[in-house]
Amino acid sequence: MVFALRVLRFTRALATTVWQSLVAVGAVQLAGETARADTRLVDAPPPGHPERLRPDLPLTALERALLKDIGSAR
């Protein structure tokens, strides 16, 4: 009987710790998403960014489809 109570207490403590950890991770993830939601859309990467836009190259079929999807979502 004593062993069963110890196992129950341990299981409850473990479940509580895991739950609190998941809540903390979720709060961090949610905070990141809400911070990103306040940002504005940009047309180009910031200066010094490794990616560069190439307006002289035509869009691929996939890029055109993605642009069409994004345009309908705005």
Side-chain angles (χ1 to χ4, degrees), residues 1 4-5 8-9 12 15-16 19 29 31 42 53 64 66 71:
M1 185 70 162
L5 286 175
L8 181 63
R9 284 183 190 150
R12 204 172 273 166
T16 301
W19 177 257
Q29 293 296 322
V42 294
L53 298 179
R64 283 191 302 274
L66 291 173

Side-chain angles (χ1 to χ4, degrees), residues 2 4 8 10 12-14 16 24 31-32 40 43 46 51 56 58 61 68:
V2 173
L8 181 63
F10 173 76
R12 204 172 273 166
L14 182 64
T16 301
R40 62 182 177 82
D43 292 332
E51 295 179 2
D56 58 325
K68 182 180 175 184

Side-chain angles (χ1 to χ4, degrees), residues 32-57:
E33 291 298 321
T34 56
R36 261 189 248 141
D38 295 338
T39 60
R40 62 182 177 82
L41 294 175
V42 294
D43 292 332
H49 197 275
E51 295 179 2
R52 289 176 175 69
L53 298 179
R54 294 283 312 265
D56 58 325
L57 293 177

Side-chain angles (χ1 to χ4, degrees), residues 18-33:
V18 169
W19 177 257
Q20 290 174 347
S21 299
L22 290 173
V23 168
V25 168
V28 168
Q29 293 296 322
L30 182 61
E33 291 298 321

